[in-house]
Amino acid sequence: MSITHKAYTIGLMLTIFVGPAFSQNLARYSDEFNGNELGAEWQLFNPKMADIKLEGGQLKITPLMRIAWFNGRVGPALFKRVRGDFSLTTRIKVRRASDELIPTAPFYQLAGLIARNPDSDNTVEEDWVLTVVGDQGGYWTNETKDTRKNLSRYHGRNTGRLHADADIRLCRVGQRFGMYIREIGEQNWILESLFDRTSHPMPEELQVGPVAYANTNDFDVVGIFEWIRFEAVDSIADCLTNNESDI
């Protein structure tokens, strides 16, 4: 089944310029989700596929149908336009929509962060990387994907996780994209995947933000994002650094 997807913009599209002179500006576009509605700079992508709302100081994305970010398929997302190198971190809890006290049910129900080539809308060839947490077929994991020309390569280890709550980070330095995870309350980051896009380069400006999806007819998942924080980076080593507010 093919699904037509369109991007919708709320207000003015925001382009964030990154680098030493713009480090403070980049951090300003972080979001603690403390208001009653999303800021005007967020771009809703496929909003009819999910219930997207702010509630209790959290962003909640609840898929309303079977959908996945996989190969040429796409799902719901929130984007900001980001130019250049960046680090994007979120604290996420992936739970059942029917009972938010319980981790997400099987199968293939996940939520996390994505960085997407905006030209995908024009070429009809999906081009993105993502890192998500949730169920990948009977176990909870940190799944990462690198999608080029509608072909996804994915990685999701069974490490014996007891839930789908974590801090996750997507970090870009040139054409290298690092995917990191740590347990909530921990300080040290674990590198889950490092995608080198030199042979299939991403453009300077990307669509970046949270996603959620459920590749099952028994969809019952909500991605609960406590906050999303942007930081400037100059090297892959910077991807491992912490601000006090992130711990």
Side-chain angles (χ1 to χ4, degrees):
M1 179 177 67
S2 63
I3 297 177
T4 302
H5 54 281
K6 298 179 180 180
Y8 298 82
T9 303
I10 303 178
L12 179 66
M13 180 67 70
L14 177 70
T15 301
I16 308 170
F17 295 94
V18 203
F22 296 91
S23 298
Q24 291 184 346
N25 287 342
L26 183 61
R28 284 177 55 196
Y29 294 110
S30 302
D31 203 327
E32 301 297 314
F33 303 124
N34 290 326
N36 296 320
E37 57 184 32
L38 288 167
E41 68 274 12
W42 283 111
Q43 175 191 15
L44 271 69
F45 186 81
N46 287 331
K48 294 182 180 180
M49 293 182 179
D51 179 35
I52 302 174
K53 65 181 179 181
L54 296 182
E55 184 177 82
Q58 300 169 325
L59 168 68
K60 296 183 178 182
I61 304 179
T62 307
L64 300 177
M65 63 182 69
R66 178 174 184 168
I67 193 61
W69 284 93
F70 183 65
N71 290 336
R73 301 167 63 191
V74 295
L78 286 175
F79 291 140
K80 289 187 180 184
R81 294 271 190 154
V82 181
R83 181 179 293 274
D85 299 339
F86 64 87
S87 173
L88 178 61
T89 306
T90 191
R91 177 160 295 167
I92 187 171
K93 299 176 181 178
V94 186
R95 305 288 180 86
R96 300 189 187 197
S98 60
D99 187 345
E100 293 182 5
L101 298 178
I102 303 175
T104 181
F107 293 94
Y108 304 103
Q109 306 196 72
L110 309 102
L113 301 172
I114 192 170
R116 180 176 183 263
N117 183 347
D119 291 338
S120 298
D121 289 328
N122 301 320
T123 64
V124 199
E125 289 186 341
E126 287 299 316
D127 186 23
W128 42 262
V129 296
L130 65 69
T131 177
V132 290
V133 181
D135 180 273
Q136 198 206 37
Y139 61 91
W140 294 305
T141 188
N142 176 203
E143 180 182 270
T144 62
K145 288 181 187 170
D146 180 7
T147 297
R148 312 178 186 191
K149 294 184 176 180
N150 289 343
L151 181 62
S152 294
R153 295 181 301 155
Y154 63 91
H155 165 83
R157 299 181 298 155
N158 186 351
T159 59
R161 293 190 64 87
L162 301 178
H163 52 72
D165 299 351
D167 292 344
I168 57 175
R169 173 173 289 175
L170 192 162
C171 191
R172 178 185 189 172
V173 179
Q175 290 299 330
R176 291 184 293 174
F177 292 82
M179 312 294 170
Y180 302 84
I181 187 170
R182 69 182 178 191
E183 297 302 314
I184 295 175
E186 296 292 330
Q187 295 191 24
N188 296 328
W189 290 97
I190 297 171
L191 175 64
E192 194 64 41
S193 295
L194 182 62
F195 299 127
D196 189 333
R197 281 304 203 94
T198 304
S199 63
H200 190 86
M202 287 282 220
E204 185 73 4
E205 184 175 272
L206 298 177
Q207 298 168 316
V208 181
V211 298
Y213 56 93
N215 194 12
T216 174
N217 291 326
D218 298 320
F219 49 90
D220 183 15
V221 62
V222 54
I224 304 172
F225 299 82
E226 299 284 341
W227 38 257
I228 286 181
R229 294 171 183 159
F230 288 89
E231 298 176 56
V233 292
D234 297 316
S235 68
I236 285 293
D238 291 342
C239 298
L240 295 170
T241 60
N242 292 315
N243 285 337
E244 291 184 6
S245 59
D246 294 338
I247 300 173

Tab-separated table of all heavy atoms in Angstrom, residues 186-224:
chain	number	residue	atom	x	y	z
A	186	GLU	N	21.919	8.140	34.279
A	186	GLU	CA	23.336	7.861	34.065
A	186	GLU	C	24.001	9.054	33.378
A	186	GLU	O	23.334	9.915	32.802
A	186	GLU	CB	23.506	6.608	33.209
A	186	GLU	CG	22.981	5.339	33.849
A	186	GLU	CD	23.798	4.917	35.055
A	186	GLU	OE1	25.014	5.208	35.071
A	186	GLU	OE2	23.226	4.307	35.977
A	187	GLN	N	25.341	9.093	33.406
A	187	GLN	CA	26.078	10.172	32.778
A	187	GLN	C	26.764	9.761	31.482
A	187	GLN	O	26.915	10.578	30.579
A	187	GLN	CB	27.135	10.725	33.743
A	187	GLN	CG	26.552	11.396	34.974
A	187	GLN	CD	27.608	12.160	35.756
A	187	GLN	OE1	28.631	12.565	35.228
A	187	GLN	NE2	27.345	12.383	37.034
A	188	ASN	N	27.194	8.521	31.393
A	188	ASN	CA	27.999	8.093	30.256
A	188	ASN	C	27.136	7.613	29.092
A	188	ASN	O	26.189	6.838	29.277
A	188	ASN	CB	28.950	6.974	30.683
A	188	ASN	CG	29.966	7.434	31.701
A	188	ASN	OD1	30.388	8.596	31.697
A	188	ASN	ND2	30.360	6.539	32.593
A	189	TRP	N	27.503	8.075	27.911
A	189	TRP	CA	26.797	7.698	26.686
A	189	TRP	C	27.411	6.445	26.073
A	189	TRP	O	28.626	6.257	26.110
A	189	TRP	CB	26.843	8.834	25.671
A	189	TRP	CG	26.020	10.018	26.055
A	189	TRP	CD1	26.449	11.158	26.668
A	189	TRP	CD2	24.616	10.170	25.863
A	189	TRP	NE1	25.400	12.015	26.872
A	189	TRP	CE2	24.258	11.438	26.379
A	189	TRP	CE3	23.621	9.371	25.310
A	189	TRP	CZ2	22.956	11.916	26.355
A	189	TRP	CZ3	22.316	9.847	25.278
A	189	TRP	CH2	21.991	11.099	25.795
A	190	ILE	N	26.569	5.616	25.471
A	190	ILE	CA	27.008	4.433	24.744
A	190	ILE	C	26.732	4.663	23.259
A	190	ILE	O	25.607	5.010	22.875
A	190	ILE	CB	26.257	3.174	25.217
A	190	ILE	CG1	26.573	2.906	26.691
A	190	ILE	CG2	26.627	1.960	24.362
A	190	ILE	CD1	25.718	1.814	27.293
A	191	LEU	N	27.747	4.493	22.432
A	191	LEU	CA	27.578	4.620	20.987
A	191	LEU	C	26.894	3.363	20.458
A	191	LEU	O	27.442	2.266	20.547
A	191	LEU	CB	28.929	4.807	20.305
A	191	LEU	CG	28.902	4.836	18.767
A	191	LEU	CD1	28.113	6.034	18.254
A	191	LEU	CD2	30.324	4.836	18.211
A	192	GLU	N	25.694	3.524	19.908
A	192	GLU	CA	24.958	2.393	19.353
A	192	GLU	C	25.267	2.200	17.873
A	192	GLU	O	25.427	1.069	17.406
A	192	GLU	CB	23.456	2.590	19.554
A	192	GLU	CG	22.639	1.345	19.322
A	192	GLU	CD	22.958	0.229	20.319
A	192	GLU	OE1	23.140	0.523	21.513
A	192	GLU	OE2	23.020	-0.933	19.879
A	193	SER	N	25.364	3.284	17.127
A	193	SER	CA	25.678	3.205	15.699
A	193	SER	C	26.371	4.489	15.266
A	193	SER	O	26.092	5.572	15.797
A	193	SER	CB	24.413	3.022	14.850
A	193	SER	OG	23.780	1.792	15.109
A	194	LEU	N	27.252	4.354	14.281
A	194	LEU	CA	27.880	5.508	13.648
A	194	LEU	C	27.763	5.317	12.145
A	194	LEU	O	28.371	4.416	11.574
A	194	LEU	CB	29.346	5.634	14.060
A	194	LEU	CG	30.106	6.831	13.490
A	194	LEU	CD1	29.481	8.145	13.968
A	194	LEU	CD2	31.581	6.775	13.879
A	195	PHE	N	26.932	6.161	11.512
A	195	PHE	CA	26.691	6.060	10.073
A	195	PHE	C	27.553	7.076	9.338
A	195	PHE	O	27.484	8.276	9.621
A	195	PHE	CB	25.215	6.308	9.748
A	195	PHE	CG	24.284	5.313	10.382
A	195	PHE	CD1	23.205	5.731	11.146
A	195	PHE	CD2	24.477	3.955	10.217
A	195	PHE	CE1	22.331	4.823	11.726
A	195	PHE	CE2	23.618	3.025	10.791
A	195	PHE	CZ	22.547	3.459	11.551
A	196	ASP	N	28.340	6.591	8.394
A	196	ASP	CA	29.180	7.456	7.572
A	196	ASP	C	28.480	7.661	6.231
A	196	ASP	O	28.291	6.726	5.466
A	196	ASP	CB	30.555	6.818	7.355
A	196	ASP	CG	31.546	7.771	6.701
A	196	ASP	OD1	31.105	8.681	5.971
A	196	ASP	OD2	32.763	7.590	6.898
A	197	ARG	N	28.110	8.903	5.954
A	197	ARG	CA	27.355	9.231	4.748
A	197	ARG	C	28.228	9.828	3.647
A	197	ARG	O	27.723	10.455	2.729
A	197	ARG	CB	26.227	10.194	5.097
A	197	ARG	CG	25.002	9.528	5.719
A	197	ARG	CD	24.479	8.424	4.790
A	197	ARG	NE	23.091	8.128	5.010
A	197	ARG	CZ	22.078	8.677	4.328
A	197	ARG	NH1	22.319	9.556	3.376
A	197	ARG	NH2	20.851	8.347	4.602
A	198	THR	N	29.534	9.642	3.703
A	198	THR	CA	30.421	10.241	2.715
A	198	THR	C	30.073	9.795	1.305
A	198	THR	O	30.095	10.597	0.356
A	198	THR	CB	31.888	9.879	3.022
A	198	THR	OG1	32.203	10.292	4.353
A	198	THR	CG2	32.828	10.566	2.047
A	199	SER	N	29.731	8.522	1.134
A	199	SER	CA	29.427	7.994	-0.201
A	199	SER	C	28.024	8.361	-0.675
A	199	SER	O	27.719	8.254	-1.866
A	199	SER	CB	29.588	6.472	-0.212
A	199	SER	OG	28.667	5.862	0.677
A	200	HIS	N	27.175	8.764	0.235
A	200	HIS	CA	25.802	9.188	-0.098
A	200	HIS	C	25.475	10.380	0.803
A	200	HIS	O	24.717	10.274	1.759
A	200	HIS	CB	24.812	8.049	0.131
A	200	HIS	CG	23.446	8.324	-0.404
A	200	HIS	ND1	23.079	8.079	-1.711
A	200	HIS	CD2	22.339	8.838	0.198
A	200	HIS	CE1	21.812	8.414	-1.886
A	200	HIS	NE2	21.335	8.881	-0.743
A	201	PRO	N	26.073	11.523	0.507
A	201	PRO	CA	26.043	12.645	1.459
A	201	PRO	C	24.662	13.234	1.687
A	201	PRO	O	23.840	13.317	0.780
A	201	PRO	CB	26.980	13.669	0.821
A	201	PRO	CG	27.020	13.310	-0.628
A	201	PRO	CD	26.842	11.826	-0.702
A	202	MET	N	24.463	13.635	2.918
A	202	MET	CA	23.280	14.391	3.306
A	202	MET	C	23.517	15.860	2.977
A	202	MET	O	24.656	16.342	3.024
A	202	MET	CB	23.032	14.252	4.806
A	202	MET	CG	22.505	12.900	5.227
A	202	MET	SD	20.747	12.729	4.881
A	202	MET	CE	20.209	11.862	6.354
A	203	PRO	N	22.459	16.616	2.671
A	203	PRO	CA	22.621	18.047	2.424
A	203	PRO	C	22.958	18.799	3.708
A	203	PRO	O	22.850	18.261	4.816
A	203	PRO	CB	21.260	18.465	1.888
A	203	PRO	CG	20.309	17.477	2.460
A	203	PRO	CD	21.066	16.182	2.528
A	204	GLU	N	23.350	20.044	3.555
A	204	GLU	CA	23.720	20.859	4.708
A	204	GLU	C	22.534	21.059	5.649
A	204	GLU	O	22.680	21.044	6.863
A	204	GLU	CB	24.229	22.222	4.219
A	204	GLU	CG	24.767	23.135	5.298
A	204	GLU	CD	26.123	22.700	5.828
A	204	GLU	OE1	26.695	21.736	5.309
A	204	GLU	OE2	26.596	23.343	6.788
A	205	GLU	N	21.353	21.229	5.088
A	205	GLU	CA	20.159	21.474	5.905
A	205	GLU	C	19.286	20.232	5.967
A	205	GLU	O	18.968	19.632	4.937
A	205	GLU	CB	19.361	22.638	5.336
A	205	GLU	CG	18.155	23.012	6.178
A	205	GLU	CD	17.454	24.247	5.643
A	205	GLU	OE1	17.843	25.359	6.032
A	205	GLU	OE2	16.526	24.085	4.830
A	206	LEU	N	18.877	19.855	7.177
A	206	LEU	CA	18.065	18.664	7.391
A	206	LEU	C	16.805	18.987	8.189
A	206	LEU	O	16.737	20.000	8.886
A	206	LEU	CB	18.869	17.603	8.149
A	206	LEU	CG	20.126	17.066	7.471
A	206	LEU	CD1	20.837	16.091	8.401
A	206	LEU	CD2	19.801	16.408	6.146
A	207	GLN	N	15.827	18.102	8.078
A	207	GLN	CA	14.662	18.124	8.955
A	207	GLN	C	14.984	17.223	10.145
A	207	GLN	O	15.297	16.042	9.963
A	207	GLN	CB	13.433	17.592	8.219
A	207	GLN	CG	13.018	18.415	7.014
A	207	GLN	CD	11.991	17.682	6.167
A	207	GLN	OE1	12.123	16.492	5.912
A	207	GLN	NE2	10.974	18.390	5.705
A	208	VAL	N	14.889	17.768	11.358
A	208	VAL	CA	15.336	17.042	12.548
A	208	VAL	C	14.270	17.124	13.631
A	208	VAL	O	13.700	18.194	13.869
A	208	VAL	CB	16.665	17.626	13.071
A	208	VAL	CG1	17.146	16.853	14.280
A	208	VAL	CG2	17.727	17.629	11.975
A	209	GLY	N	14.003	15.987	14.293
A	209	GLY	CA	13.041	16.030	15.378
A	209	GLY	C	12.529	14.666	15.792
A	209	GLY	O	13.075	13.629	15.400
A	210	PRO	N	11.449	14.632	16.582
A	210	PRO	CA	10.916	13.383	17.130
A	210	PRO	C	9.975	12.661	16.171
A	210	PRO	O	9.276	13.280	15.364
A	210	PRO	CB	10.161	13.849	18.376
A	210	PRO	CG	9.703	15.234	18.025
A	210	PRO	CD	10.801	15.810	17.179
A	211	VAL	N	9.957	11.320	16.290
A	211	VAL	CA	9.073	10.467	15.501
A	211	VAL	C	8.488	9.384	16.408
A	211	VAL	O	8.998	9.116	17.492
A	211	VAL	CB	9.815	9.779	14.333
A	211	VAL	CG1	10.367	10.805	13.362
A	211	VAL	CG2	10.939	8.872	14.845
A	212	ALA	N	7.429	8.743	15.921
A	212	ALA	CA	6.873	7.553	16.563
A	212	ALA	C	6.157	6.750	15.494
A	212	ALA	O	5.616	7.314	14.539
A	212	ALA	CB	5.912	7.927	17.692
A	213	TYR	N	6.172	5.422	15.652
A	213	TYR	CA	5.477	4.591	14.662
A	213	TYR	C	5.170	3.220	15.245
A	213	TYR	O	5.747	2.802	16.257
A	213	TYR	CB	6.284	4.446	13.377
A	213	TYR	CG	7.685	3.900	13.527
A	213	TYR	CD1	7.952	2.551	13.406
A	213	TYR	CD2	8.754	4.762	13.769
A	213	TYR	CE1	9.238	2.055	13.520
A	213	TYR	CE2	10.043	4.277	13.889
A	213	TYR	CZ	10.284	2.924	13.764
A	213	TYR	OH	11.572	2.445	13.877
A	214	ALA	N	4.234	2.531	14.588
A	214	ALA	CA	3.800	1.198	15.013
A	214	ALA	C	3.587	0.359	13.761
A	214	ALA	O	2.616	0.563	13.034
A	214	ALA	CB	2.513	1.292	15.821
A	215	ASN	N	4.484	-0.576	13.515
A	215	ASN	CA	4.381	-1.419	12.330
A	215	ASN	C	3.645	-2.714	12.671
A	215	ASN	O	4.158	-3.826	12.535
A	215	ASN	CB	5.772	-1.725	11.781
A	215	ASN	CG	5.719	-2.313	10.372
A	215	ASN	OD1	4.676	-2.281	9.727
A	215	ASN	ND2	6.833	-2.848	9.921
A	216	THR	N	2.416	-2.542	13.148
A	216	THR	CA	1.556	-3.657	13.524
A	216	THR	C	0.107	-3.204	13.456
A	216	THR	O	-0.187	-2.013	13.656
A	216	THR	CB	1.882	-4.155	14.941
A	216	THR	OG1	0.922	-5.154	15.327
A	216	THR	CG2	1.827	-3.013	15.951
A	217	ASN	N	-0.784	-4.152	13.192
A	217	ASN	CA	-2.206	-3.804	13.198
A	217	ASN	C	-2.734	-3.602	14.607
A	217	ASN	O	-3.781	-2.982	14.799
A	217	ASN	CB	-3.006	-4.903	12.493
A	217	ASN	CG	-2.742	-4.942	10.999
A	217	ASN	OD1	-2.519	-3.903	10.366
A	217	ASN	ND2	-2.755	-6.135	10.421
A	218	ASP	N	-2.028	-4.131	15.590
A	218	ASP	CA	-2.420	-3.963	16.990
A	218	ASP	C	-1.637	-2.816	17.614
A	218	ASP	O	-1.006	-2.962	18.668
A	218	ASP	CB	-2.158	-5.262	17.761
A	218	ASP	CG	-2.979	-6.427	17.231
A	218	ASP	OD1	-4.153	-6.206	16.904
A	218	ASP	OD2	-2.428	-7.544	17.145
A	219	PHE	N	-1.677	-1.662	16.972
A	219	PHE	CA	-0.886	-0.527	17.443
A	219	PHE	C	-1.410	-0.018	18.780
A	219	PHE	O	-2.610	0.158	18.985
A	219	PHE	CB	-0.858	0.597	16.394
A	219	PHE	CG	-2.196	0.979	15.835
A	219	PHE	CD1	-2.949	1.965	16.441
A	219	PHE	CD2	-2.696	0.356	14.701
A	219	PHE	CE1	-4.188	2.338	15.932
A	219	PHE	CE2	-3.931	0.725	14.179
A	219	PHE	CZ	-4.677	1.706	14.795
A	220	ASP	N	-0.470	0.172	19.694
A	220	ASP	CA	-0.790	0.641	21.047
A	220	ASP	C	0.489	1.217	21.642
A	220	ASP	O	1.132	0.609	22.499
A	220	ASP	CB	-1.322	-0.510	21.902
A	220	ASP	CG	-1.745	-0.063	23.299
A	220	ASP	OD1	-1.893	1.161	23.516
A	220	ASP	OD2	-1.911	-0.942	24.179
A	221	VAL	N	0.871	2.399	21.180
A	221	VAL	CA	2.135	2.985	21.610
A	221	VAL	C	2.016	4.498	21.660
A	221	VAL	O	1.305	5.107	20.856
A	221	VAL	CB	3.289	2.573	20.657
A	221	VAL	CG1	3.052	3.067	19.242
A	221	VAL	CG2	4.638	3.059	21.178
A	222	VAL	N	2.714	5.082	22.616
A	222	VAL	CA	2.845	6.538	22.691
A	222	VAL	C	4.306	6.841	23.011
A	222	VAL	O	4.896	6.238	23.907
A	222	VAL	CB	1.901	7.158	23.744
A	222	VAL	CG1	2.073	6.523	25.105
A	222	VAL	CG2	2.105	8.673	23.808
A	223	GLY	N	4.890	7.741	22.241
A	223	GLY	CA	6.219	8.259	22.545
A	223	GLY	C	6.072	9.491	23.428
A	223	GLY	O	5.450	10.480	23.023
A	224	ILE	N	6.613	9.420	24.651
A	224	ILE	CA	6.506	10.511	25.617
A	224	ILE	C	7.874	11.176	25.727
A	224	ILE	O	8.826	10.576	26.235
A	224	ILE	CB	6.039	10.003	26.990
A	224	ILE	CG1	4.703	9.250	26.856
A	224	ILE	CG2	5.917	11.156	27.977
A	224	ILE	CD1	4.260	8.561	28.133
